[in-house]
Amino acid sequence: MNQARNHESTSTVEESVTEQRWRVVAPPPSEIRRPPRKDPRTTLAVGAGRLAATLSQRLGAGSGAIIGGRVALLLQPRALRRLTRGRRVVMVTGTNGKTTTTHMIVEALRERGGTVSNATGANMLDGHVAALMTRPRAPYAALEVDELHLARVTEEFEPAVIVLLNLSRDQLDRVGEIRSVEERLRRALRRAPGAHVIANADDPNIVSVAVDHPRVTWVAGGNRWKHDALNCPRCGTFLDGADEWRCVCGLVRPPADLTVDAEGVTGPDGWYRSLELALPGQVNRLNATFALAAALVLGGDPDTALRRIRDIDQANGRYGTVSLGGRIVRLLLAKNPASWLEMLDLVSAHRHPLILVVNSREADGFDVSWLWDIDFECLDGREVVVAGDRARDLAVRLRYAEVSCEVAGSVEDALTRLPGECPDVLANYTAFRDLSAKSAAP
Amino acid sequence: MTKESVLRIALVLPDLLGTYGDRGNALVLAKRSSWRGTPAEIVTVLSSSEAVPDSCDIYLVGGGEDVAQHAAVRFLRDGGLRRATQAGAPVLGICGGLQVLGTGFRTGDGSYHEGLGLIDVVTEPGASRAIGEVVTESSVDGIGVLTGFENHLGRSRIAEGVQPLGQVVHGIGNGYDAVEGAVSGHVVCTYLHGPVLARNPVLADTMLEWAVGRPLEPLPEIDEIEELRAERTNRIKFRSRHPNAQRSQ
């Protein structure tokens, strides 16, 4: 596992790269890195940012993270560049799984010294600066970044590792269509030729983003949502959603370096580790494999990393069993068709009642037409209550799926209508965030 | 209608033009037909198919990205969709579908593409995307108030002789003359997502009646749909009275 392995590059779209070398295990980084140069402006900006964060917190205006980052960026527009100097930074992006995977990377790197992270999900530049400010001397940072903002990040500095999870339709009225997101990510990668990219081999959109990069570790674990990759992202030819897809234009599914299935993770040269997670679902097994790959690239020990990842049972509230309105519930984040597909699959494993909550605030996207891309028909016969700003859209969607449901004014109201077993609550972004904030440890 | 008395609904190129949940329109038509005792079949025509069958009873063309739109025009140019339209089959084009069915459209990169010319509408990119809730008062008899969500850069000018689908009460619509959508014969085009037929069952039933060629008995009113329509249109009334009300609720 310690030798580098060569394989034929799969980059046939552009002929620039003919062969790529990669390592699953990078040599351990020199632990003694040059300390960041003193920079009075950055010191001042960080001081002011912290003050703003503390004030905001005391005034009860939230965690203060974003305001602190904003103030620091205002005083030192280069704050991100300065604060990442001398650290090894992992950037995690994609439509789904950013927060969970980032959390897993932090855990996987725990043994290797301090890692800062934007654990609250503030995933744009101000959130990154805020996270980096908290511990300017931590040698590692694991930061999730909004798909549209990776290009801004790589303008400022070159991350050590870039993790590309997946791309699917999400908040079309805010984020825009996948083609433009994919092109922006490609541009972001062109500015970071020295980064080590860890990318999803099963997602044609991600392959298109990463295939021309000189250093890619490909991770595979299936891709269930196919509707945004039925056609080649480069030339538009129909791909058929096949597992081993290959387009006439030359874009092809690359051979995977790490593959995860229901039992474990397989790497090159017979490398294998069994994988058992506290978190449910194949989607988290894939997230865990991305986190493992990131730890390996940074010189981590696979068994230590896996042990840490295995014990995670929630990530910023996702999948957490909590007490809400005096009841025990499990909170699941489902914010777009691909993540609903995964979460509906998870809840099909039991017959507990379900509460579905959909909002349409700015961070969710105002349009909820995507509810019709989800096969709610699978909920036939289940006990379902809907809530949230867009409860009525959900009710109409379920009516046409011939799934009966009740409409509740709030999740608390929904809970009173479900006196039986502990329900699962599936909520989209702001609905989930608000419930998570209201909930307590069970 | 085919002789087996199954309503065949063609979902045209959802792999290219299926970005905005418009597949829901097919589900709505299928259910509203089967609830009336006529089972329905959704015929999905992917871009890998040989051709679009001309034997379907109703055709749905959704919205997609620029590149997908001109790929769709190439695929649809001489096929079954044109023959079926000429034979009077109802066709619903949404957003990018409106542009594809129209005379022509200019994409964001400045290039002009011919459309299928099934309805006389020409689309040019606007200065910014029109995004938000829309309410219109339909110009088509018996349709009434339409509600939906628009998200498009294109501004569409309809030719003389083409009827708009509605007069804009709230939102942008076509971007000309305060109208939204276009209707010519049994071809209905609109920028409204939601999906439009889920939010506007009267429009769904009108298209079903065109497909079967006779009036249909009304379905019992579905409370959820009426509540959704009231919620979406009341919000707009509130906003128009309070122009400074926040966009997010």
Side-chain angles (χ1 to χ4, degrees):
Chain A
M1 224 11 221
N2 269 314
Q3 316 123 313
R5 194 186 71 146
N6 298 333
H7 67 68
E8 284 290 307
S9 166
T10 52
S11 170
T12 45
V13 173
E14 286 178 22
E15 52 189 8
S16 55
V17 184
T18 51
E19 186 177 282
Q20 80 176 9
R21 284 167 178 273
W22 65 276
R23 291 159 183 268
V24 169
V25 180
S30 59
E31 290 302 326
I32 307 145
R33 302 178 74 87
R34 194 186 309 164
R37 214 163 6 108
K38 290 266 183 204
D39 163 17
R41 188 168 178 181
T42 306
T43 312
L44 178 75
V46 167
R50 281 191 184 141
L51 184 66
T54 312
L55 281 175
S56 159
Q57 230 170 356
R58 294 233 175 108
L59 293 169
S63 73
I66 293 185
I67 188 77
R70 276 191 195 154
V71 167
L73 269 172
L74 205 63
L75 295 172
Q76 169 52 294
R78 291 279 158 88
L80 193 58
R81 185 174 301 191
R82 296 278 193 265
L83 289 167
T84 49
R85 202 179 268 170
R87 310 198 215 216
R88 311 199 81 203
V89 181
V90 184
M91 298 303 306
V92 180
T93 197
T95 307
N96 292 320
K98 292 187 285 289
T99 300
T100 304
T101 307
T102 304
H103 185 62
M104 287 172 166
I105 293 170
V106 171
E107 285 300 313
L109 292 175
R110 192 169 286 279
E111 250 71 29
R112 304 194 49 81
T115 306
V116 291
S117 178
N118 49 343
T120 55
N123 64 10
M124 301 186 197
L125 267 57
D126 40 15
H128 300 145
V129 167
L132 292 161
M133 265 170 20
T134 57
R135 288 163 67 197
R137 299 209 167 270
Y140 294 98
L143 300 172
E144 67 162 276
V145 57
D146 178 85
E147 305 87 283
L148 293 182
H149 286 76
L150 184 67
R152 290 277 292 108
V153 166
T154 58
E155 270 171 28
E156 293 293 320
F157 74 99
E158 185 168 75
V161 180
I162 297 174
V163 175
L164 301 171
L165 298 169
N166 48 62
L167 274 185
S168 67
R169 62 189 68 181
D170 185 33
Q171 301 178 53
L172 291 163
D173 51 293
R174 181 183 77 83
V175 177
E177 293 162 346
I178 306 242
R179 259 327 30 78
S180 66
V181 179
E182 190 261 319
E183 274 163 27
R184 261 206 237 202
L185 286 175
R186 233 194 285 178
R187 202 167 70 224
L189 257 58
R190 278 200 294 273
R191 290 211 193 87
H196 192 121
V197 173
I198 302 170
N200 191 334
D202 287 324
D203 184 331
N205 287 304
I206 291 292
V207 172
S208 176
V209 170
V211 73
D212 299 323
H213 194 277
R215 277 206 294 178
V216 185
T217 293
W218 296 104
V219 171
N223 184 28
R224 298 182 60 229
W225 173 259
K226 309 236 185 240
H227 293 280
D228 291 303
L230 288 172
N231 299 77
C232 174
R234 293 284 177 103
C235 74
T237 302
F238 190 70
L239 292 178
D240 200 22
D243 290 342
E244 289 294 335
W245 53 272
R246 170 182 294 274
C247 183
V248 289
C249 76
L251 195 72
V252 57
R253 180 195 181 274
D257 300 308
L258 290 172
T259 302
V260 61
D261 60 19
E263 274 80 49
V265 184
T266 309
D269 309 323
W271 188 94
Y272 177 83
R273 292 291 187 283
S274 67
L275 184 66
E276 277 167 47
L277 296 180
L279 289 178
Q282 172 66 12
V283 67
N284 280 315
R285 303 176 65 76
L286 185 55
N287 292 338
T289 309
F290 276 104
L292 169 68
L296 291 174
V297 164
L298 293 173
D301 168 57
D303 298 302
T304 313
L306 283 175
R307 203 160 48 240
R308 290 285 185 183
I309 293 168
R310 186 187 62 199
D311 294 338
I312 295 169
D313 58 3
Q314 58 90 25
N316 204 17
R318 289 145 176 83
Y319 312 100
T321 299
V322 297
S323 165
L324 192 70
R327 297 279 301 284
I328 302 296
V329 302
R330 182 166 67 154
L331 288 182
L332 300 170
L333 174 67
K335 56 182 176 145
N336 50 43
S339 64
W340 274 94
L341 176 71
E342 298 294 347
M343 294 308 127
L344 289 175
D345 187 49
L346 275 190
V347 304
S348 71
H350 61 67
R351 301 294 296 172
H352 293 201
L354 302 171
I355 301 174
L356 315 182
V357 199
V358 170
N359 282 351
S360 61
R361 301 182 192 176
E362 189 161 7
D364 303 304
F366 298 117
D367 183 16
V368 296
S369 302
W370 52 268
L371 290 173
W372 293 77
D373 286 329
I374 300 163
D375 291 324
F376 285 108
E377 286 75 5
C378 66
L379 297 180
D380 185 27
R382 299 287 294 255
E383 200 176 355
V384 180
V385 181
V386 297
D389 301 343
R390 304 308 290 268
R392 291 195 170 85
D393 293 80
L394 265 169
V396 171
R397 173 69 190 93
L398 292 177
R399 184 63 185 244
Y400 278 104
E402 301 190 344
V403 172
S404 53
C405 73
E406 281 187 56
V407 180
S410 66
V411 173
E412 289 79 357
D413 174 26
L415 284 166
T416 63
R417 294 162 191 249
L418 298 168
E421 284 169 296
C422 141
D424 271 353
V425 181
L426 288 77
N428 76 335
Y429 187 75
T430 64
F432 178 91
R433 185 195 63 195
D434 295 350
L435 289 171
S436 190
K438 266 195 265 182
S439 68
Chain B
M1 292 280 297
T2 48
K3 45 185 177 294
E4 308 88 35
S5 223
V6 171
L7 183 86
R8 297 180 78 223
I9 302 162
L11 184 56
V12 179
L13 303 181
D15 55 322
L16 294 172
L17 302 172
T19 310
Y20 293 93
D22 297 319
R23 167 188 95 111
N25 292 318
L27 300 180
V28 168
L29 289 171
K31 287 293 174 198
R32 297 188 76 82
S33 177
S34 69
W35 288 340
R36 289 182 166 98
T38 305
E41 180 196 351
I42 297 174
V43 179
T44 302
V45 185
L46 296 169
S47 64
S48 56
S49 322
E50 289 285 303
V52 184
D54 58 10
S55 58
C56 290
D57 298 299
I58 192 160
Y59 291 80
L60 303 174
V61 187
E65 307 181 351
D66 282 358
V67 186
Q69 271 181 225
H70 54 253
V73 171
R74 276 200 307 277
F75 186 88
L76 298 171
R77 189 164 285 141
D78 306 306
L81 178 62
R82 183 182 298 280
R83 288 193 299 276
T85 310
Q86 281 157 357
V91 180
L92 177 63
I94 311 284
C95 194
L98 171 152
Q99 301 177 14
V100 165
L101 296 177
T103 319
F105 56 91
R106 196 179 300 283
T107 42
D109 61 5
S111 57
Y112 185 82
H113 305 270
E114 259 183 49
L116 297 173
L118 298 178
I119 189 164
D120 202 350
V121 180
V122 175
T123 303
E124 295 279 343
S128 62
R129 282 187 91 82
I131 302 179
E133 289 286 335
V134 183
V135 176
T136 70
E137 190 77 55
S138 183
S139 331
V140 180
D141 271 353
I143 302 273
V145 170
L146 293 168
T147 155
F149 190 95
E150 63 182 337
N151 181 0
H152 56 101
L153 184 65
R155 299 294 186 270
S156 300
R157 201 187 278 277
I158 57 178
E160 255 177 73
V162 174
Q163 198 185 357
L165 177 60
Q167 304 292 322
V168 175
V169 178
H170 179 92
I172 306 287
N174 293 0
Y176 293 104
D177 309 325
V179 298
E180 199 289 315
V183 182
S184 167
H186 287 172
V187 179
V188 176
C189 291
T190 176
Y191 277 110
L192 303 183
H193 303 290
V196 66
L197 299 185
R199 286 211 200 169
N200 303 287
V202 176
L203 181 60
D205 288 350
T206 301
M207 298 200 76
L208 280 177
E209 288 184 345
W210 290 346
V212 301
R214 62 182 159 79
L216 296 169
E217 77 270 32
L219 287 173
E221 205 164 84
I222 296 173
D223 294 344
E224 294 92 325
I225 297 176
E226 295 313 310
E227 286 168 12
L228 174 63
R229 286 175 57 76
E231 174 192 285
R232 294 289 106 197
T233 50
N234 287 341
R235 261 176 99 250
I236 301 304
K237 281 183 205 143
F238 170 79
R239 281 235 199 92
S240 335
R241 280 204 308 273
H242 302 82
N244 296 326
Q246 265 205 329
R247 194 181 149 82
S248 53
Q249 311 164 33

